[in-house]
Amino acid sequence: MSRPDAIVVGGGIVGAACARELAMAGLGVTLVEAEFVGGGATAAGMGHIVVMDDSPPQFGLTALSRALLDELAPALPAAVERDRCGTLWVAEDEDQLVAARLKAAAYGDAKVEASVVDGAELPRLEPGLRPGLAGGLLVPGDGVVYPPALARWLAEDARRLGAAIREGEPVTALDGRSVMTARGRIDAALVVNAAGAAAPILTHGLPIVPRRGHLVITDRHPGFCRHQVLELGYLKSAHSSTGASVAFNVQPRMTGQVLIGSSRELVGWNRTPNRALLGRMLRRAADFMPALAGLSAIRSWIGFRPATPDNLPLIGPSSRIDGLWIAAGHEGLGITTALGTARLLGDLILGRAPSLDPVPFTPDRSGEPAAAVHA
Amino acid sequence: MSDASVLETDVAIVGAGPAGIAAAVAARAEGARTLLLDSAPRPGGQIWRHRDPAQLPASGRRWIERLSGSGAEWIHSANAIDLPAPGVLIAEREGRAFTIRWRSLVIATGATERLLPFPGWTLPNVFGVGGLQALLKAGASVAARRVIVAGSGPLLLPVASSLAAAGATIRLVAEQAPALRVYRFAGALWSDPVRLAQAARYRAGFRRARYRCGTWIVRVDPVGSALSVTLTDGRRIWTDRTDLVAVGYGLVPDVRLARLAGCSIASGCVAVDRSQRTSVPSVFCAGEPTGIAGADSAVAQGRLAGAAAAGARRTGGAASRARRFAARLDRAFALRPDLRALPDPATIVCRCEDVSLGEIGEGWSARQIKLYTRAGMGPCQGRVCQPALEFLRRTGADAVRLPLFPAPVGLLADHANRDEGDS
Ligand SMILES: Cc1cc2nc3c(=O)[nH]c(=O)nc-3n(C[C@H](O)[C@H](O)[C@H](O)COP(=O)(O)OP(=O)(O)OC[C@H]3O[C@@H](n4cnc5c(N)ncnc54)[C@H](O)[C@@H]3O)c2cc1C
Ligand SMILES: Cc1cc2nc3c(=O)[nH]c(=O)nc-3n(C[C@H](O)[C@H](O)[C@H](O)COP(=O)(O)OP(=O)(O)OC[C@H]3O[C@@H](n4cnc5c(N)ncnc54)[C@H](O)[C@@H]3O)c2cc1C
């Protein structure tokens, strides 16, 4: 096999998107994945494609990424289950409704369509919401995908563009010029560490930890809800003193199923479900949508978000290791931000004018923790 | 059952087939408070499933009588859905949760039927062997209907015999295993007179029909309201007309609850010692989850498990005999590789999610198949397609997750609430 220009380590949605971006630019790319494409955090994520404005860089990255997905949409197969269902952020009280108005204005300034919904209009949009809510914010351009299928399509597209996709091959060591696997050594001009929450295992010192989340999926109940519906006030509940938090977050799947989130806790890679937290998460959901309690739950699972201290991903060159690039740490937004990440990384690698200000994403920044998190 | 949402017991038993019933009776004989629960409305499991005890064979009737006289608490129509912590079992009944606090747990969850896909297996009037038998026990009529029974394993005989007894015309019983292996297996039953007598009785039940080894169904096509069944013996291919088809390729131990409990599993079976103890303290297992060995073995294992779970020092060879029998059974009825070639790319593999074989790549793991195609993601959570894929694609088993059976969201919300602190 000929020597690739770039090796991407990790075939999650981020690595798959990066491999495709570099292959589109004409580079010879080899993607090396320990198991199979899309089987990591990507397989556990909800797949909400959402513009978020907890910080200006996050807003820029999510808006760019969503626009890139819109461009791709006609090419995507049905298995990606892309549904432009919109996000409905629910305000419980007047304070939150004021926050919704401010958000709507900020979204409008950035040409992202968003509108404030009053309390009387809510039941028309989502009849399942409990009465008495103050209103909300509707972001119609947001949507939903089925993450493993999108990751798989991105990797397949990279393959069509000439990339080699090597699955079932764990990388044991890497630097900026080569990676080691059980099958031997691969050399290249540059290496991208896109191993998600496992990225620090391969590149010591990266500030990424797994932040665990639970999800529950129901049987098919078509029409139960029409938008991805979340609480605007989740910031309040997201930072409880116990360190574990839950938020109301439900999603209609194209199959008619309802996916219910979300929880966050820092428990390392522990895979035993936290039933108490799961219960709290479901009670929070049923508090907003009482009829959820009667739906039939068929399965629950957990996933590990690759979390950074300031909740922004690490995208760019390592300052310590020549030839090494990082694209990891996407916490609860990596399904959304994979395409924007790949675009920005490609800009930086190829010396194109960056699509976004890269500074806030610099891998070796010493970031101040920002407040916001998402599903 | 009382309305209390928390029940206390010494011995909790999940599954009221022969193994669970014998365990309950044995645990009560040791004086332990005993609770037996099952998803079904009546005790009996697969083989002693009944509407009226008068339908049952003598041994089944006797055991069910013993159970009702034993003083064990019987909870019907309840699914065990979670084991959140040692000593705690969560069950669901009619949409409501209750907690069972136990000192010992006996897992007697039986087996499920393996169905293999072939063109036409999803047509109306094509049933699982066990499925058709269950319909019959629930009162369905097969009188004067033509039936072809096919697949593999000792289950084909009793089912053909009960269909014949209910007035069906058995056109053929097609066993895929070669005659030599089947007869060698049957020959070995000489050492087991009870089983031999049983087999002879079953065979007598449909004496006029043919029991053909080395024969299997290739495809089924609808012809009006009847079915055209294409069969082969590997050399010749022929077709036959029938009204119903019953097909099943043996049984697979149901080890999901045992896996949730964390018990070690070896070659698909729960590992137990001479007291039916699993690798998890205070958790016992009896019957088919330890290996497919039939109802008598299930009873023998259940007696040991019930007594041991109640604290008696009881050991025996039932589990190792069962393992040996299961190994013989596996050898005799090993599935022929030809069966892997039956489904074509358009054949549905997962009925819940409408996934066809052509969507599944070569060499994919169980998890990969599921994530890429949704096979096994539906309400049955892979109970049907996983055993088929294990054979077709040599995949391993998928992980077991909560809840073990579908349960209302509100119930999961509440049961966790009650055990806040446990995790
Ligand atoms: C419960 C939950 C809900 C979420 N909901 C959403 C949502 O609604 N919207 C959204 O945008 N995001 C959501 N996310 C976040 C999203 O899933 C992640 O941010 C995203 O999947 C991260 O992608 P990744 O490619 O960086 O990581 P991963 O998908 O984990 O990919 C990393 C890959 O690297 C491979 N790898 C690791 N080590 C090695 C090695 N040594 N050698 C080779 N390969 C290796 C792994 O096998 C894996 O495939 C959610 C996450 C969770 C857990
Ligand atoms: C479909 C089928 C048909 C069969 N027909 C025959 C036949 O005709 N003749 C014959 O000799 N043998 C037959 N067998 C084999 C026979 O069932 C076994 O040899 C014998 O019944 C094993 O007893 P057991 O107690 O281990 O399991 P079973 O009799 O299978 O009992 C297990 C019980 O556990 C219950 N259960 C499982 N999980 C849970 C849970 N989580 N919560 C609550 N309850 C649960 C089930 O409802 C079931 O009632 C059949 C098996 C199957 C699967």
Side-chain angles (χ1 to χ4, degrees), chain A residues 193-266:
Chain A
N193 182 345
I201 299 170
L202 296 168
T203 306
H204 296 293
L206 292 180
I208 299 174
V209 294
R211 185 180 276 147
R212 191 168 87 151
H214 292 73
L215 294 175
V216 170
I217 188 100
T218 71
D219 201 351
R220 297 181 181 209
H221 298 276
F224 181 84
C225 63
R226 304 163 189 173
H227 309 82
Q228 176 119 9
V229 196
L230 299 87
E231 58 177 305
L232 260 172
Y234 75 100
L235 282 184
K236 272 193 221 157
S237 62
H239 299 285
S240 63
S241 53
T242 62
S245 66
V246 300
F248 163 58
N249 185 351
V250 305
Q251 175 182 89
R253 301 294 319 168
M254 274 231 220
T255 53
Q257 294 170 286
V258 181
L259 183 53
I260 308 172
S262 59
S263 74
R264 295 192 136 72
E265 59 187 327
L266 293 169

Side-chain angles (χ1 to χ4, degrees), chain B residues 15 17-19 38-39 45-47 78 80 108-111 130 133 155 251 287-288 294-295 298 405:
Chain B
D38 197 298
S39 316
Q46 295 295 351
I47 183 169
T109 48
Q133 187 191 35
L155 200 58
L251 300 178
E288 312 281 56
F405 279 87

Side-chain angles (χ1 to χ4, degrees), chain B residues 41-63:
Chain B
R42 273 175 291 275
Q46 295 295 351
I47 183 169
W48 298 334
R49 190 193 292 268
H50 63 284
R51 283 188 306 160
D52 171 1
Q55 305 168 323
L56 285 172
S59 68
R61 208 160 46 230
R62 212 163 45 236
W63 274 107

Side-chain angles (χ1 to χ4, degrees), chain A residues 37 39 146 220 275 297 299, chain B residues 82 353 367 371-372 381 407 416:
Chain A
V37 167
Y146 177 55
R220 297 181 181 209
R275 271 98 171 166
R299 192 174 178 98
Chain B
D82 191 13
E353 297 290 332
R367 200 167 151 263
L371 286 168
Y372 283 2
Q381 287 286 295

Side-chain angles (χ1 to χ4, degrees), chain A residues 9-16 32-50 147 169-173 194-199 201-202 211-215 228 249 251 262-263 301-306 327-338 374-375:
Chain A
V9 176
I13 193 157
V14 173
V32 190
E33 160 57 43
E35 287 185 48
F36 60 90
V37 167
T42 299
M46 270 184 126
H48 184 200
I49 301 297
V50 56
E169 189 170 356
V171 168
T172 51
I201 299 170
L202 296 168
R211 185 180 276 147
R212 191 168 87 151
H214 292 73
L215 294 175
Q228 176 119 9
N249 185 351
Q251 175 182 89
S262 59
S263 74
W301 65 88
I302 52 182
F304 298 90
R305 306 174 184 88
H330 292 70
E331 218 270 341
L333 275 173
I335 308 305
T336 302
T337 54
H374 178 60

Side-chain angles (χ1 to χ4, degrees), chain A residues 34-310:
Chain A
E35 287 185 48
F36 60 90
V37 167
T42 299
M46 270 184 126
H48 184 200
I49 301 297
V50 56
V51 172
M52 295 276 289
D53 67 342
D54 294 315
S55 65
Q58 187 188 62
F59 188 78
L61 182 62
T62 52
L64 169 67
S65 299
R66 201 187 77 179
L68 291 171
L69 184 67
D70 288 341
E71 280 173 28
L72 275 190
L76 298 176
V80 172
E81 296 180 34
R82 178 169 183 271
D83 181 8
R84 222 156 154 269
C85 59
T87 304
L88 181 61
W89 295 92
V90 177
E92 278 189 275
D93 52 30
E94 281 307 317
D95 286 358
Q96 289 180 5
L97 197 55
V98 171
R101 292 205 181 91
L102 294 175
K103 267 177 183 287
Y107 279 47
D109 289 346
K111 305 266 181 302
V112 173
E113 192 186 341
S115 56
V116 175
V117 174
D118 65 23
E121 220 186 324
L122 266 190
R124 197 180 51 74
L125 290 174
E126 281 301 339
L129 284 169
R130 72 162 193 255
L133 293 164
L137 178 75
L138 179 66
V139 186
D142 285 352
V144 167
V145 296
Y146 177 55
L150 179 54
R152 186 180 168 208
W153 183 86
L154 291 167
E156 285 303 320
D157 205 43
R159 199 200 302 268
R160 280 187 286 274
L161 293 161
I165 311 294
R166 295 168 61 153
E167 296 175 284
E169 189 170 356
V171 168
T172 51
L174 60 76
D175 59 22
R177 302 283 176 241
S178 65
V179 311
M180 288 298 302
T181 79
R183 283 189 241 158
R185 177 177 151 154
I186 318 172
D187 295 312
L190 65 97
V191 173
V192 181
N193 182 345
I201 299 170
L202 296 168
T203 306
H204 296 293
L206 292 180
I208 299 174
V209 294
R211 185 180 276 147
R212 191 168 87 151
H214 292 73
L215 294 175
V216 170
I217 188 100
T218 71
D219 201 351
R220 297 181 181 209
H221 298 276
F224 181 84
C225 63
R226 304 163 189 173
H227 309 82
Q228 176 119 9
V229 196
L230 299 87
E231 58 177 305
L232 260 172
Y234 75 100
L235 282 184
K236 272 193 221 157
S237 62
H239 299 285
S240 63
S241 53
T242 62
S245 66
V246 300
F248 163 58
N249 185 351
V250 305
Q251 175 182 89
R253 301 294 319 168
M254 274 231 220
T255 53
Q257 294 170 286
V258 181
L259 183 53
I260 308 172
S262 59
S263 74
R264 295 192 136 72
E265 59 187 327
L266 293 169
V267 292
W269 291 97
N270 182 338
R271 292 191 173 272
T272 307
N274 179 343
R275 271 98 171 166
L277 193 64
L278 180 76
R280 250 170 75 199
M281 176 183 105
L282 295 176
R283 285 197 299 285
R284 184 97 195 140
D287 180 41
F288 278 85
M289 279 195 165
L292 269 178
L295 302 195
S296 182
I298 62 172
R299 192 174 178 98
S300 66
W301 65 88
I302 52 182
F304 298 90
R305 306 174 184 88
T308 62
D310 62 4

